[in-house]
Amino acid sequence: MQLSREELLRAYRQMKTIREFEERLHVEITTGEIAGFTHLYAGQEAVAVGVCENLNDSDYIISTHRGHGHCIAKGCDVKGMMKEIYGRKDGLCGGKGGSMHIADVSKGMLGANGIVGGGPPIALGAAMAAKIDGTGAVSVAFGGDGSCNQGTVFEAMNMAVVLQSPIIFVFENNGYSEHTGADYAVGSGDIAGRAAGFGMPAACGDGSDFFEVHAMTREAVERARDGGGPTTLEFKTTRFFGHFEGDPQRYRAKDEVKKHRETMDALKIFRDKVTKAKLLTKKAMDEIDAEVLKLIDEAVEEARAAPPPTPDDLLTDVYISYEGGIQ
Ligand SMILES: Cc1ncc(C[n+]2csc(CCOP(=O)(O)OP(=O)(O)O)c2C)c(N)n1
Ligand SMILES: [Mg+2]
């Protein structure tokens, strides 16, 4: 499917925003102003954006501990996200969630999740609700190569097939679960291949190539919307930073990240492809680069200046009322 110029520009802007958000956080975290653990998504942009460009606000995603990229790709407000990570009152979740618990239900972003393998059962619930209500919505569960070994994931995959739910299990295989290599920890090494055991279609693709991710996801989304049930997608990718900010990364080869930044950079690959095919000009993308840098500068400035929650805020958002339905 040929994407329009607007769609290509939006995809590039989204990937660039994720990259700069993460590159900037990598620097800001060293100031000590940001509390809590942070896991950066840079390097994996083509997966989040290639998947989410097939979705709309009424579709659902559930993210992982490495969630900033998924949030941005699903349309969450970047300044609200930055404030959330800084723990500010005006953050997307009132400053109470931080990096690992950002959510924006109005955008169908059901939350980052610190529990590895915790996402698929939640995404399955959303998919079941969509099917029962007949909304036509699709639900996507993002997970890593580490999550694919969790029992919760297998249970959700099985139930998704049995109930023919409109869900897509996306495994971002970045080669590591914390400091353990996927080549050691993933039996058979073939994550997508596991889906056959549940009777589910699956495919494995290049997670550095937006176009490949987008096309594979499109097919899965169409199948789910048409009542064809779940799909598993595995994307081979890499993370440009450590598992968490502060990780000395002694388990990685000396030049591994440098090499991956040269050969697996989703932004460079995208720029090369669209300029060679004369779909977008370098100038149009350079303009986006400048706008994104400005947005990130403003987001950091505004987050730093914003007030934290007050002691009274501790007593709000503790319970939810279901009277009158879920908002
Ligand atoms: C149930 C559970 N077990 C262990 C952990 C600790 N932990 C946090 S992230 C992580 C690695 C996850 O690896 P992967 O799924 O490949 O995601 P990536 O970090 O590569 O994005 C682990 C083991 C956890 N958060 N939850
Ligand atoms: Mg991993």
Side-chain angles (χ1 to χ4, degrees), residues 6-310:
E6 282 62 43
E7 287 170 326
L8 290 171
L9 287 171
R10 194 179 58 209
Y12 180 74
R13 183 185 296 275
Q14 294 289 65
M15 290 200 289
K16 183 70 182 174
T17 306
I18 297 171
R19 174 69 53 85
E20 293 306 328
F21 193 94
E22 300 297 62
E23 294 281 1
R24 184 67 184 267
L25 270 181
H26 179 66
V27 174
E28 296 303 328
I29 280 161
T30 61
T31 65
E33 277 184 81
I34 296 170
F37 247 49
T38 318
H39 308 81
L40 300 183
Y41 189 77
Q44 304 183 202
E45 297 86 352
V47 181
V49 177
V51 168
C52 291
E53 282 300 295
N54 286 291
L55 306 176
N56 50 54
D57 282 359
S58 49
D59 294 315
Y60 302 105
I61 66 164
I62 184 100
S63 176
T64 66
H65 54 287
R66 198 175 300 289
H68 309 161
H70 306 134
C71 272
I72 291 172
K74 195 68 174 59
C76 294
D77 178 58
V78 169
K79 290 185 175 178
M81 282 179 62
M82 193 64 88
K83 284 189 185 142
E84 186 58 38
I85 291 166
Y86 271 81
R88 303 306 199 230
K89 186 177 167 72
D90 292 344
L92 223 45
C93 302
K96 297 177 180 181
S99 166
M100 256 191 287
H101 300 97
I102 303 186
D104 184 351
V105 178
S106 71
K107 296 283 177 194
M109 164 54 185
L110 300 182
N113 195 317
I115 308 296
V116 173
I122 300 171
L124 178 62
M128 286 164 66
K131 186 173 176 178
I132 291 164
D133 293 342
T135 64
V138 168
S139 184
V140 173
F142 286 100
D145 46 284
S147 79
C148 83
N149 298 320
Q150 294 291 88
T152 47
V153 177
F154 298 145
E155 290 177 41
M157 289 170 83
N158 183 62
M159 200 185 263
V161 172
V162 171
L163 299 176
Q164 284 294 286
S165 301
I167 182 169
I168 303 165
F169 299 93
V170 173
F171 293 101
E172 298 184 65
N173 186 350
N174 62 10
Y176 298 101
S177 168
E178 288 196 345
H179 318 138
T180 306
D183 49 3
Y184 167 80
V186 179
S188 88
D190 179 8
I191 298 174
R194 294 179 177 191
F198 297 103
M200 193 189 314
C204 180
D206 178 358
S208 302
D209 182 354
F210 164 81
F211 294 97
E212 190 162 319
V213 176
H214 188 271
M216 286 169 61
T217 310
R218 167 136 306 211
E219 197 184 315
V221 167
E222 280 172 2
R223 182 164 38 244
R225 286 209 208 284
D226 289 349
T231 303
T232 289
L233 299 174
E234 174 186 359
F235 294 111
K236 297 270 169 59
T237 181
T238 186
R239 56 170 154 77
F240 286 170
F241 293 110
H243 170 62
F244 62 95
E245 281 306 272
D247 173 5
Q249 301 191 73
R250 291 202 190 92
Y251 51 92
R252 292 184 107 166
K254 203 165 149 274
D255 288 337
E256 185 180 309
V257 174
K258 188 172 168 281
K259 210 173 93 202
H260 285 179
R261 278 192 182 259
E262 282 160 15
T263 59
M264 293 175 74
D265 183 330
L267 284 134
K268 279 189 201 157
I269 293 169
F270 183 96
R271 285 181 73 113
D272 278 358
K273 284 199 172 184
V274 295
T275 42
K276 273 190 194 125
K278 298 201 179 351
L279 294 169
L280 295 180
T281 59
K282 188 177 164 298
K283 184 169 167 280
M285 290 183 281
D286 289 348
E287 276 168 20
I288 289 179
D289 288 357
E291 286 165 19
V292 167
L293 282 174
K294 187 167 167 281
L295 171 70
I296 302 297
D297 272 350
E298 286 171 7
V300 171
E301 251 172 59
E302 288 173 28
R304 292 178 71 179
T310 65

